[in-house]
Amino acid sequence: STGGSGGSGGSGGLFTGGGSGGNGGWPGPVTISNAGDITLSDESTDLSVGSVAILAQSVGGQGGNSGSGGLLISYGNTGGTGGTAQPIAVMHTGSVITSGDVAIGLNAQSVGGGGGSVPDQTSLTSVGSTNGGAGGDGGAVSLSIKASETGDRALVKTSGRFSIAALAQSIGGSGGSVGYQNNLVSVGGTAGGGGNSGSVAVTLSGADINTTDEASAGGGDFSIGVAIQAIGGGGGNAAGGQGVWSVGVDGGGGGDGGTITGVFGDVDIQTSGKFAIGALMQSIGGGGGNGAATSSNAAAASMGVGGYQDSGDGGSGGDGGSIQLSADGSGIPLTIRTQGDHASGLIAQSLG
């Protein structure tokens, strides 16, 4: 489900400012329940490269870019806000098998839309702040891989390189950037802040997760059994400006990474390739946008007046969220087996 993009604002005339960008549309929630068997394989061609067996996505629409300001006067321009992504829920009790490189067995993603940008502008005077659009928030994601009601174990298997058996992600949209402001008088502004990610919860019980390939050399290299990620959107950048009296544009703040919860029990995760990872759990705050320097000296000297400048500040980075891993109460422990060089069993990271 994908929200529509916001429209771009129109350009201003001599005495009128540019139009603001429209906000990105909100997508709908997505729920998938699979109890069947899915196999993606084509031994004679590369058709299975980059394939996804089950894809559940809710993607917010992109915020529209603002129009440029008027030549004589600008009232400040604003990019549209990215659409907010909605919840994802995937329940899998069947069998999924892929064989190509860069393949994904189960992909559950909720991604906020990016904020609209403000273009470069040249005006005699800017009397309003110039702001990039904020990124939309990612929605909550739930992924459950369990045994069927009859007791058959669920299976997710990939065998290609750079593949992921099960991926659950919530990602905030990036903030909109602000272009170069070339005005005699400029009052500054702020690039758009990144959206926050939603929470991500994964339950594995009565399941086999496998990225091995004993039949071909290099099969399963750089692959991941289960990847669980909550990532805040990056803040927008500011491009700077110049004028006789010029206030810089600040970079946008990064969005926060959400909470990650894993409930693992009676699950066997197996990898065989080099640099493979059994289970990866990450909550990552988005990086802050760059502030921009402004220049008033050259413009002021050309007019024989005193100048003023105030450079923009960089945006603050987002916080990483908490990560919790617990057993499912079945009494059967989690098993992770790796065989390749430089492989990792479990990685859990919260990064600001």
Side-chain angles (χ1 to χ4, degrees):
S1 177
T2 304
S5 298
S8 297
S11 297
L14 288 177
F15 299 97
T16 59
S20 298
N23 295 334
W26 289 26
V30 177
T31 300
I32 293 178
S33 180
N34 176 62
D37 298 336
I38 300 174
T39 300
L40 301 180
S41 177
D42 192 324
E43 301 297 336
S44 61
T45 70
D46 291 332
L47 293 179
S48 58
V49 173
S51 60
V52 180
I54 294 178
L55 174 63
Q57 280 186 328
S58 180
V59 181
Q62 172 74 31
N65 298 328
S66 81
S68 58
L71 294 177
L72 295 182
I73 189 169
S74 174
Y75 297 95
N77 300 323
T78 302
T81 300
T84 299
Q86 300 301 295
I88 296 285
V90 174
M91 290 78 69
H92 173 67
T93 58
S95 171
V96 163
I97 299 174
T98 72
S99 63
D101 292 342
V102 203
I104 301 176
L106 304 177
N107 187 352
Q109 287 182 318
S110 183
V111 183
S117 298
V118 177
D120 297 345
Q121 73 170 22
T122 299
S123 299
L124 181 64
T125 302
S126 176
V127 297
S129 62
T130 300
N131 302 304
D137 293 338
V141 175
S142 172
L143 172 63
S144 173
I145 305 175
K146 292 184 175 183
S148 68
E149 294 182 356
T150 59
D152 295 327
R153 295 179 67 81
L155 172 66
V156 185
K157 176 175 173 57
T158 66
S159 56
R161 295 169 297 176
F162 301 98
S163 295
I164 302 174
L167 172 64
Q169 280 184 329
S170 178
I171 303 175
S174 58
S177 296
V178 174
Y180 195 83
Q181 306 299 299
N182 186 21
N183 310 309
L184 290 182
V185 177
S186 180
V187 298
T190 305
N196 299 323
S197 86
S199 61
V200 183
V202 174
T203 300
L204 306 176
S205 180
D208 295 319
I209 311 295
N210 193 307
T211 67
T212 63
D213 183 8
E214 297 81 6
S216 63
D221 289 352
F222 302 96
S223 293
I224 301 174
V226 181
I228 311 169
Q229 294 178 314
I231 303 173
N237 294 320
Q242 67 174 354
V244 174
W245 197 94
S246 184
V247 177
V249 177
D250 297 334
D256 294 335
T259 299
I260 288 180
T261 304
V263 179
F264 295 178
D266 188 16
V267 58
D268 186 0
I269 301 174
Q270 183 176 356
T271 73
S272 64
K274 295 180 294 185
F275 299 96
I277 301 173
L280 175 65
M281 308 174 73
Q282 290 180 316
S283 180
I284 303 174
N290 296 320
T294 61
S295 174
S296 66
N297 295 334
S302 68
M303 298 184 65
V305 298
Y308 171 82
Q309 72 175 59
D310 179 14
S311 297
D313 297 325
S316 59
D319 296 329
S322 64
I323 299 176
Q324 180 177 356
L325 177 61
S326 61
D328 69 346
S330 66
I332 302 175
L334 159 71
T335 300
I336 300 178
R337 294 179 285 170
T338 64
Q339 301 175 34
D341 295 339
H342 310 289
S344 301
L346 173 66
I347 296 176
Q349 295 176 316
S350 179
L351 304 174

